[in-house]
Amino acid sequence: MRLSELAELGALALRRQVNDLFALLELSSVWQGEEPKAIAESVLDLLVSQLRLDIALLRIHGLEEEIEHFFPAELDREALLSAGREASLDSPVSFELPRPNTVGRTTIRVVSLPLQGEPGKVLVGSWRANFPTAHERHLLQMIVNQAALAMQSSREARARGRLAEEQGRLEHVNSVLAMLHAISDGLSRTQTCAQVAEVILSRGLAAMGAHAGSMFLAGETGTELNLVRAVGYPETLLRGCQRIPVKAHLPLVEAFRRQTGVFNTWMDASSLTGEPRLPTSSPQAFAAIPLVVDGRCLGALGFSFPSPRGFADDERAFIQAISQQAAQACDRARLLEAERRARRMAEARQLRAALLSEASASFGSSLDFGAALERVALLVVPRFADWIVLQVAERTPSGTDEMKTVVVHRDPAMAESARELGLALLSMGGEPRARITNNSVIAPIEARGRALGAIVLGCEEVGRFDLEALELVEELGLRAGVALDNARLYQEAREADRRKDEFLAMLGHELRNPLSPIVTALQLMGMKEGNAFERERTIIGRQVEHLVRLVDDLLDVSRITRGKVQLKRGRIDLTAVLAKAVEMASPLLEQRSHHLELPQVSEPLFVDGDPARLAQVLANLLNNAAKYTDPGGRIVVSLAGEGERAVLRVRDNGSGIAPEILPRIFDMFVQEGRSIDRSQGGLGLGLAIVRSLVELHGGTVSVHSEGLGRGSEFRVSLPLAVQRVAAADAHRSHAPEASVRDASRSVRLLVVDDNQDAAELLTELLDSKGYLTRMALDGPAGLEAAREFRPHIALLDVGLPVMDGYELASRIRQLSTLHDIKLVAITGYGQDSDRLRAHGAGFDVHLVKPIEPGQLLRILRELVGVPEAVALSRGG
């Protein structure tokens, strides 16, 4: 070809490309306002026609919709999408057509372009080997970009349209809500159904654009609807519809019967009354809505509109909302009216409730049930009755029931007549039962199904009492029965507690009586027989000590649970208390060959406490460690001041404590879950006593153990005593020892005990120590022996026959020849009250059985050496 021809062809191609570009720039205006689907279809047609393509596919998978257009119609879209995953505008891929195209080719080149800003892609292909050329790539990119922009603009336009619609709808909703709020506000201040109708018809008509309306409510019989109020209707039209039968063929009645709204687009106004003879007005629309509350139809609302019209859903919903509010307001107005009618009855019931409340308070304020009955009777008369008779069965101290009658009359002079009438009514018909007579009401006083008495209320007016009065008296009888039953239970509990105390005291006495001669016999056996039967005596001694400890623990727990433990507090050094505790626990420690490591305290630790009780606490902890540690174990005691508290720890390497037992270890009768054979013995009271005594001192006790077989540690924390400078405190903890007189052989001792074995063994023991002794087995014999023998010291058993030890001591004190005698009480009764009684009877010393012979001999030496002192010892 000539150069001029080539130039002309090039210029022609250039002009064609420029025309294509200008055409593409106009696409945005062409697609403006189109839907995304139409844009997608136009894009596909443009690509095929502009670029002479063999295949084309456009897919958009957005949130609103999924769009897909393709060419040709028989295109295998999924195969094309699969092949096009690796394609791009600059990197075509090959795709095989299922049959040749128009030029006989089956292999085409496919490129893929993303839609910028849209979740989708465009796939196009041509058989030409140079596809796509630079110009075609440029055209493809421009078309796709223009399409993406057009789709985004279309979606934005649609969103703006929806937003405008929503804003309009919101404004309409706000307007409706404002109208509903205004109506609700008006209804909230209504108290009658007429006021409800006034609010609905004055505000509802304007809100709905109605020109007339009415409200009807169902009558009491439910056979007709009664007009409450109507607005906008001619007076002549309303005269005949003050009452409408529920069988009438009217929209209002139909809405009432069906309990659903009736909306007529037009109707004759005369049909509103069912009187077609009245002059008719122009055609109009009508809406009738039932007034329904909780499934009950109270009536109906009717609204007339000046011209035929339809009712949109939101208009119907608005009318339904107004009717619902009107129904609720009418229901509330009816309830208010019913409340006003019932108020008088409620006030009467309130007075009855106040009476019952005051009666309950009277019954609960005192356990003196007779006084409570009299107070309740004065509450009833004269407010509810002219007179009252209450008859109850009261429990006497002997355990029998005795009838008690309380009578109150508004006129005291008529009280006896009221008594006779009330008792006569109660005697009729056997067991008292709830009933009403002409001028009285009767109800039983009962509790737990048992009749305990009866109540009779009477008045001069015949027929005054009704069923509510009967309910009042029945309730009063039930409350009186509960109070009487509680009083009885309290008396029984007190009596049981008293008997328990007596039993425990007698138990201690009876258990200690046989232990005392056993201890004395063991001492004598050791003195007489030397080492003979030493093992047997050791066993018996150990078991006796164990029995003594069980008895002491049992009585201590009894005193603690009843709050009768009295501490003799003083400023004491815990190191001295620890030494005493070690002495008390040493027999068991030595028996089990334990290694005891005591603290080295450089200075005393003073606490405010009872030295005997604190020594008991520490001894119990040492005994507990000794019992639950294998023989030859190690027990470590530490004592130190920590801040404002003294802390003592007892740690052992024994059997430890299981985790499930730890929280209950200080409860009574808990024994740490040891073996079933109870090889360690005890009642499980030791640690319970420890906790109670420590808490009485204002301290705390805790335990730590890492489990079975890993030992345990008990920690006692006590508040340190306030520092004092007076020397009296030190004197209190260390009383001077009495001087000992060596002239025991000239001392005469009288032993009086009804237990012959105990008396003989004790006399034999004292004889062996050089004392001059005489024995008596009862009170009179002991008094006679005292006159004749003139003893220096008398050892008297308290529980003597004929004349007890207290009386014997008093009579001995009255003998002029024995004014210097020392009296020692030997008894199984060891409570604080027993010690005080012994002191009041003239005893110098109170010893609790069984008595350790060494302790008795020491006390005798002290009594001989201190002739004027009065020493009360805490034996046992």
Side-chain angles (χ1 to χ4, degrees):
M1 297 179 68
R2 294 181 180 180
L3 184 61
S4 59
E5 292 176 347
L6 290 174
E8 184 178 353
L9 290 174
L12 179 62
L14 183 60
R15 284 195 301 272
R16 187 175 297 166
Q17 292 179 2
V18 170
N19 291 333
D20 291 342
L21 293 175
F22 277 111
L24 292 177
L25 292 175
E26 295 176 356
L27 288 176
S28 58
S29 61
V30 173
W31 289 334
Q32 186 173 2
E34 295 289 338
E35 292 291 327
K37 288 184 177 180
I39 295 173
E41 186 175 0
S42 177
V43 167
L44 197 70
D45 293 341
L46 179 63
L47 288 173
V48 173
S49 61
Q50 189 76 20
L51 299 179
R52 300 180 303 279
L53 299 174
D54 290 309
I55 58 173
L57 184 144
L58 185 149
R59 175 177 285 186
I60 299 176
H61 41 84
L63 296 177
E64 294 183 357
E65 58 185 343
E66 185 167 321
I67 301 174
E68 184 179 80
H69 288 284
F70 51 91
F71 172 82
E74 66 274 10
L75 177 65
D76 187 348
R77 302 187 302 280
E78 296 303 324
L80 178 60
L81 288 171
S82 177
R85 289 193 182 97
E86 304 297 328
S88 66
L89 189 59
D90 297 324
S91 301
V93 297
S94 297
F95 179 72
E96 295 295 328
L97 295 173
R99 56 179 176 270
N101 60 5
T102 56
V103 295
R105 303 294 180 89
T106 59
T107 300
I108 61 173
R109 291 164 58 86
V110 176
V111 295
S112 173
L113 294 89
L115 286 168
Q116 298 298 328
E118 292 289 328
K121 63 171 58 178
V122 176
L123 293 171
V124 296
S126 173
W127 63 272
R128 288 177 281 116
N130 63 343
F131 177 81
T133 64
H135 177 61
E136 287 173 328
R137 284 197 298 272
H138 189 60
L139 289 177
L140 283 170
Q141 191 67 63
M142 286 191 66
I143 292 172
V144 170
N145 289 344
Q146 290 290 334
L149 290 173
M151 289 184 182
Q152 292 171 9
S153 298
S154 175
R155 286 194 173 90
E156 290 174 358
R158 291 173 62 187
R160 286 193 296 271
R162 287 195 298 269
L163 180 59
E165 292 177 1
E166 290 298 327
Q167 287 176 341
R169 188 176 292 107
L170 181 61
E171 291 175 358
H172 176 69
V173 170
N174 288 336
S175 174
V176 171
L177 289 177
M179 289 186 287
L180 287 175
H181 176 72
I183 294 174
S184 298
D185 183 62
L187 291 176
S188 65
R189 290 188 287 272
T190 60
Q191 295 186 357
T192 64
C193 294
Q195 293 173 344
V196 173
E198 174 66 25
V199 171
I200 290 295
L201 297 179
S202 63
R203 301 186 183 185
L205 293 180
M208 291 182 291
H211 76 284
S214 61
M215 187 174 89
F216 287 79
L217 291 178
E220 293 183 0
T221 60
T223 59
E224 60 183 12
L225 296 179
N226 300 323
L227 178 65
V228 179
R229 183 173 175 78
V231 174
Y233 295 109
E235 185 67 25
T236 56
L237 189 66
L238 296 175
R239 289 175 188 165
C241 60
Q242 295 295 317
R243 291 182 176 83
I244 302 177
V246 295
K247 298 181 179 180
H249 298 288
L250 297 173
L252 267 169
V253 181
E254 184 180 355
F256 174 79
R257 287 197 304 262
R258 292 166 49 189
Q259 295 191 19
T260 185
V262 176
F263 297 90
N264 292 326
T265 57
W266 74 273
M267 63 180 297
D268 195 301
S270 63
S271 64
L272 301 179
T273 63
E275 298 180 8
R277 293 170 298 178
L278 291 176
T280 61
S281 60
S282 60
Q284 57 188 338
F286 189 82
I289 312 95
L291 302 176
V292 180
V293 176
D294 297 332
R296 296 176 292 111
C297 191
L298 308 181
L301 278 174
F303 297 99
S304 296
F305 298 85
S307 60
R309 54 165 296 177
F311 294 93
D313 290 342
D314 56 348
E315 290 179 313
R316 296 190 182 208
F318 178 71
I319 297 174
Q320 295 281 6
I322 290 178
S323 68
Q324 185 176 6
Q325 291 191 9
Q328 292 174 349
C330 287
D331 191 51
R332 185 177 67 252
R334 286 187 171 184
L335 290 176
L336 288 174
E337 180 63 26
E339 180 184 359
R340 284 189 290 269
R341 290 196 303 267
R343 186 169 298 167
R344 291 186 297 274
M345 297 175 61
E347 290 174 354
R349 290 173 181 171
Q350 186 175 4
L351 290 176
R352 295 185 179 112
L355 169 66
L356 291 174
S357 177
E358 293 179 39
S360 296
S362 297
F363 287 136
S365 62
S366 172
L367 290 171
D368 186 351
F369 187 72
L373 277 181
E374 293 180 1
R375 289 195 297 270
V376 170
L378 293 174
L379 289 174
V380 175
V381 177
R383 282 194 290 177
F384 291 93
D386 295 331
W387 54 269
I388 184 173
V389 175
L390 299 108
Q391 188 179 60
V392 295
E394 281 196 328
R395 185 67 52 84
T396 64
S398 62
T400 60
D401 287 342
E402 183 178 89
M403 299 305 295
K404 177 177 181 178
T405 304
V406 175
V407 181
V408 174
H409 197 288
R410 66 167 58 210
D411 182 2
M414 300 292 293
E416 191 59 33
S417 298
R419 177 194 298 271
E420 294 177 359
L421 179 58
L423 294 180
L425 290 171
L426 291 177
S427 63
M428 298 170 57
E431 288 290 330
R433 56 184 178 84
R435 63 186 188 276
I436 300 175
T437 67
N438 290 335
N439 58 352
S440 63
V441 58
I442 306 170
I445 296 176
E446 57 186 5
R448 293 190 289 172
R450 294 182 297 129
L452 305 177
I455 302 176
V456 183
L457 264 63
C459 66
E460 302 300 330
E461 179 184 352
V462 177
R464 175 179 173 183
F465 297 117
D466 53 12
L467 291 177
E468 290 190 355
L470 179 61
E471 292 176 0
L472 169 69
V473 180
E474 284 183 308
E475 182 63 26
L476 193 61
L478 289 176
R479 300 191 184 197
V482 171
L484 178 57
D485 193 47
N486 288 340
R488 286 186 169 190
L489 291 175
Y490 178 75
Q491 292 174 356
E492 292 173 1
R494 289 187 60 184
E495 179 66 18
D497 188 59
R498 183 186 64 80
R499 292 178 180 177
K500 182 194 69 175
D501 291 345
E502 292 178 354
F503 168 75
L504 288 175
M506 183 62 67
L507 175 65
H509 178 269
E510 294 302 320
L511 288 175
R512 283 170 169 156
N513 269 339
L515 291 175
S516 184
I518 294 174
V519 172
T520 306
L522 286 173
Q523 186 74 15
L524 289 173
M525 289 171 64
M527 294 169 56
K528 289 181 178 181
E529 301 176 3
N531 294 330
F533 304 103
E534 181 178 2
R535 180 174 178 274
E536 289 80 359
R537 285 189 287 104
T538 300
I539 293 173
I540 295 173
R542 185 163 59 246
Q543 296 305 318
V544 168
E545 289 177 3
H546 182 59
L547 285 174
V548 171
R549 188 164 61 252
L550 292 181
V551 173
D552 289 342
D553 283 352
L554 185 62
L555 296 180
D556 274 342
V557 166
S558 174
R559 285 192 290 267
I560 290 171
T561 54
R562 289 181 289 119
K564 295 187 177 181
V565 173
Q566 296 180 352
L567 300 179
K568 295 186 177 181
R569 306 178 78 126
R571 190 166 181 268
I572 57 175
D573 182 7
L574 269 185
T575 56
V577 175
L578 178 59
K580 177 64 176 175
V582 171
E583 179 183 348
M584 295 167 63
S586 58
L588 184 58
L589 294 169
E590 293 173 1
Q591 173 192 339
R592 297 179 69 84
S593 303
H594 290 316
H595 173 70
L596 178 64
E597 183 178 326
L598 297 175
Q600 299 296 326
V601 182
S602 58
E603 58 183 19
L605 288 173
F606 290 104
V607 297
D608 183 22
D610 185 327
R613 289 301 187 180
L614 289 180
Q616 181 182 0
V617 167
L618 303 184
N620 278 5
L621 292 179
L622 290 172
N623 283 328
N624 185 77
K627 284 196 300 181
Y628 294 114
T629 302
D630 292 337
R634 180 182 181 85
I635 300 174
V636 179
V637 180
S638 64
L639 178 62
E642 297 181 6
E644 298 181 353
R645 303 184 77 83
V647 177
L648 180 137
R649 293 179 173 85
V650 178
R651 187 172 70 253
D652 63 68
N653 61 350
S655 57
I657 305 172
E660 63 272 13
I661 298 297
L662 273 176
R664 301 185 293 110
I665 195 65
F666 292 105
D667 294 345
M668 287 191 295
F669 311 116
V670 173
Q671 288 195 306
E672 309 177 27
R674 301 295 200 243
S675 59
I676 196 170
D677 61 0
R678 294 178 50 83
S679 60
Q680 309 304 336
L683 299 174
L685 299 175
L687 293 181
I689 294 173
V690 166
R691 180 177 63 179
S692 299
L693 292 178
V694 169
E695 290 176 352
L696 286 175
H697 283 83
T700 59
V701 60
S702 58
V703 62
H704 172 73
S705 176
E706 295 183 358
L708 294 177
R710 308 187 68 176
S712 58
E713 179 180 281
F714 287 82
R715 178 183 182 274
V716 176
S717 173
L718 296 168
L720 289 170
V722 179
Q723 190 70 24
R724 298 181 184 176
V725 296
D729 294 326
H731 175 73
R732 184 180 303 171
S733 296
H734 305 283
E737 295 184 4
S739 59
V740 180
R741 181 178 295 177
D742 294 329
S744 62
R745 296 188 179 277
S746 62
V747 177
R748 296 186 297 276
L749 295 181
L750 172 62
V751 178
V752 183
D753 196 328
D754 62 330
N755 187 328
Q756 186 172 352
D757 292 338
E760 290 177 352
L761 289 172
L762 183 57
T763 301
E764 185 177 349
L765 173 65
L766 296 175
D767 286 340
S768 68
K769 297 299 181 181
Y771 290 99
L772 301 177
T773 61
R774 180 170 293 187
M775 180 182 70
L777 299 179
D778 56 38
L783 183 60
E784 182 64 27
R787 288 195 186 98
E788 297 177 357
F789 187 54
R790 298 178 63 184
H792 296 95
I793 301 173
L795 307 177
L796 308 180
D797 181 23
V798 171
L800 294 172
V802 184
M803 180 191 302
D804 63 26
Y806 299 119
E807 183 180 353
L808 177 59
S810 297
R811 293 198 181 186
I812 289 176
R813 285 294 184 197
Q814 295 172 8
L815 298 176
S816 59
T817 57
L818 297 177
H819 64 278
D820 290 333
I821 191 172
K822 304 300 180 184
L823 299 180
V824 179
I826 298 178
T827 176
Y829 299 105
Q831 302 188 36
D832 292 339
S833 58
D834 299 321
R835 293 186 175 88
L836 293 174
R837 185 179 179 186
H839 179 65
F843 283 103
D844 298 279
V845 178
H846 180 273
L847 296 179
V848 180
K849 299 177 182 179
I851 305 170
E852 177 65 32
Q855 177 193 15
L856 176 61
L857 295 175
R858 177 179 58 78
I859 290 174
L860 292 177
R861 289 196 299 269
E862 291 178 355
L863 291 177
V864 171
V866 189
E868 299 297 333
V870 175
L872 285 177
S873 170
R874 288 180 174 270

